[in-house]
Amino acid sequence: MKTVKYLLTGIVFGIIMTKSEAVSWYRIQEMFRFQSFFMYGIIGTALITGIILVALIKKFRLKDTEGVPISFSPKDGHWKKYLFGGIIFGMGWAFTGACPGPVFVLLGQGYSVMIVVILGALAGTAVYGLIQDRLPQ
Amino acid sequence: MIRYLSNPWPWWASGLAIAGIMAILIFSGKTFGFSANLSNICSMAGLGKRISFFRFDWKAQRWNLWFLIGSVVGGYIAAHYLSSAEPLNLSAAAVRSLDKLNIPFDGRMEPGSIFNWNFLLSGKGLILFLGGGFLIGFGTRYAGGCTSGHAISGLSNLQLPSLIAVIGFFIGGLFITWLIFPLFFR
């Protein structure tokens, strides 16, 4: 039952990512060139709604569907990790025009070349796991 | 309904819908973060035997892997049953800029001149797809999240590390777009 719930949520996510055009290489280029408000509007609306949602959950100490109080884990660690990791991911985002979610959504759309992006991303993740203690954290 | 959904969505509707996905996951006791799945797959593949970073109980993350499978199915459904006949409404300025890079705007979701196996199997294609994928995998794990984990979930919770990560996303993206692409696509 739970499996079906997350599968369905994922299906809706895939449809949203496609119809929003956030999976489009063109749209990501347009965003990084500041040539349209479109992507900023999407991320901004999601963010403002998210900030209100999280604030309300905290204020009213809401519980999840299992009855467990909802908690948000703070992100910890050194700023270098977020900045350097962010820059590296941003370069990959501009090259492929896709972040991790859209990579898989595009595969479903029939863009078989995304298999190579997925293999690259898994290799990148594995190499990070291998050398992470040697990086500034 | 189907016809209505098939039309291109206004940006605010997409933004609200993405926040809705985050809400569903939060009220299920989960955190919206897609790139964690790359780690989950590495762990599932048995990399934990050699690399301690992947030594965790991936089965506790099965929900997120189902979400991933769903996103592939959702992409299929949207492309086959909810697609609009209208070309992508890219700004004229972006069309002109990409034209200068010899990337003609074809009105589709992805540029046909890049998203094909012939281009992929060229040197540039391998850098763009395989190299780009590598940077995505390495960078998201290093930063501890991607667009969903930091720009949406983290910033919604007003996390400073997520703001630093998002600034990083833009530094990296602007660097490739403005300094590398003019050389790369010449």
Side-chain angles (χ1 to χ4, degrees):
Chain A
M1 193 55 216
K2 281 201 172 160
T3 301
V4 175
K5 175 179 163 185
Y6 294 114
L7 185 68
L8 281 177
T9 312
I11 290 174
V12 175
F13 173 74
I15 294 173
I16 293 170
M17 283 290 110
T18 304
K19 295 309 295 178
S20 71
E21 300 169 357
V23 298
S24 168
W25 189 93
Y26 288 123
R27 286 291 188 198
I28 301 306
Q29 271 300 298
E30 187 185 51
M31 173 183 82
F32 281 133
R33 293 170 185 279
F34 306 105
Q35 286 166 329
S36 169
F37 175 72
F38 192 82
M39 283 303 302
Y40 296 99
I42 293 176
I43 298 173
T45 309
L47 183 53
I48 291 167
T49 315
I51 289 171
I52 296 169
L53 178 75
V54 171
L56 288 176
I57 289 172
K58 284 181 177 171
K59 183 167 163 59
F60 295 105
R61 303 210 174 110
L62 298 181
K63 293 175 176 155
D64 65 22
T65 48
E66 309 269 295
V68 181
I70 295 170
S71 64
F72 297 93
S73 43
K75 311 248 179 211
D76 45 15
H78 201 274
W79 61 268
K80 279 183 186 170
K81 159 186 161 75
Y82 295 101
L83 184 65
F84 297 162
I87 291 172
I88 295 169
F89 162 57
M91 295 196 293
W93 192 9
F95 264 126
T96 62
C99 34
V103 168
F104 288 89
V105 176
L106 286 172
L107 181 67
Q109 284 186 23
Y111 288 99
S112 58
V113 287
M114 298 318 277
I115 290 168
V116 176
V117 181
I118 293 169
L119 291 175
L122 290 173
T125 304
V127 170
Y128 171 76
L130 197 63
I131 64 168
Q132 47 129 357
D133 3 320
R134 276 170 268 166
L135 298 167
Q137 296 280 357
Chain B
M1 180 74 177
I2 296 280
R3 210 166 138 201
Y4 195 69
L5 284 176
S6 297
N7 289 331
W9 293 7
W11 52 263
W12 54 267
S14 303
L16 285 175
I18 293 168
I21 294 290
M22 184 174 81
I24 291 172
L25 294 179
I26 288 177
F27 283 106
S28 306
K30 311 293 185 200
T31 306
F32 183 29
F34 200 98
S35 67
N37 274 322
L38 297 168
S39 254
N40 296 338
I41 294 171
C42 286
S43 179
M44 193 170 74
L47 261 63
K49 282 183 204 127
R50 284 162 173 252
I51 306 170
S52 62
F53 185 74
F54 300 111
R55 214 164 288 150
F56 60 88
D57 179 22
W58 63 268
K59 286 185 179 161
Q61 298 295 316
R62 260 186 302 205
W63 70 270
N64 210 352
L65 290 163
W66 282 110
F67 184 85
L68 177 149
I69 292 167
S71 73
V72 178
V73 178
Y76 178 87
I77 292 173
H80 288 82
Y81 305 106
L82 297 172
S83 73
S84 124
E86 283 179 50
L88 192 82
N89 187 22
L90 195 69
S91 69
V95 173
R96 275 196 305 274
S97 298
L98 293 174
D99 211 45
K100 280 186 199 145
L101 296 180
N102 298 315
I103 302 164
F105 178 61
D106 55 15
R108 304 217 313 249
M109 192 70 91
E110 311 298 325
S113 60
I114 296 175
F115 282 65
N116 65 74
W117 284 92
N118 268 338
F119 176 76
L120 190 151
L121 293 171
S122 69
K124 284 182 183 180
L126 285 173
I127 292 173
L128 189 139
F129 288 103
L130 194 59
F134 187 93
L135 295 170
I136 290 174
F138 192 97
T140 51
R141 259 345 347 105
Y142 195 0
C146 56
T147 327
S148 52
H150 280 309
I152 309 287
S153 294
L155 285 185
S156 288
N157 192 24
L158 307 176
Q159 294 290 302
L160 181 64
S162 292
L163 182 63
I164 297 171
V166 173
I167 291 169
F169 298 171
F170 271 84
I171 295 174
L174 293 174
F175 170 72
I176 295 297
T177 300
W178 290 88
L179 298 175
I180 302 301
F181 272 4
L183 306 169
F184 187 80
F185 285 112
R186 199 168 51 183

